[in-house]
Amino acid sequence: MLHIRAFVAGTGDLRRVRDLVSETFTARHQPLPALSLVRAGGLPLAGAQVVLEAVAAGRKDANPNGLAFVSAQEALPRIPAVRWRP
C-alpha cells in the first residue's frame, strides 16, 4: 500500500483513522503508507463516517519491459459500402 486518503465526517474520527492505519500496518510488519486525512462536511454514502481511497503497488510486474503499444489493424467491412444518391 502506497497511499491512503481518508474522507472523515467527524473530528473524532481523524485520530481514530490515523491510529487504526498505524496499528494495522505495524501488526502486519508492513511499511506505513502515506496518509491524507480530509475532513468532509458530508459523505456520499448514507450514514458513512469514513470513506477510504487507496493506491497500491502490485507485487508482480504485468510487463517487465514496460508499456506495450499494439497498433490497430485496419477494419474492412464484410459488405462493400453501398453508394446512394441523395
Side-chain angles (χ1 to χ4, degrees):
M1 190 74 57
L2 300 175
H3 183 260
I4 296 175
R5 181 179 297 131
F7 296 92
V8 182
T11 57
D13 292 329
L14 288 172
R15 279 182 249 112
R16 286 181 43 210
V17 168
R18 185 186 65 221
D19 293 342
L20 285 172
V21 168
S22 176
E23 289 173 13
T24 302
F25 283 88
T26 303
R28 294 181 180 185
H29 304 289
Q30 294 179 347
L32 292 174
L35 179 63
S36 299
L37 296 170
V38 180
R39 184 172 176 209
L43 298 173
L45 300 172
Q49 295 296 313
V50 177
V51 174
L52 299 174
E53 289 181 355
V55 176
R59 294 179 188 252
K60 181 179 175 186
D61 291 334
N63 185 355
N65 298 324
L67 292 175
F69 293 100
V70 179
S71 63
Q73 301 295 321
E74 182 181 358
L76 298 174
R78 294 182 185 178
I79 301 172
V82 177
R83 294 187 182 202
W84 59 281
R85 296 182 185 164

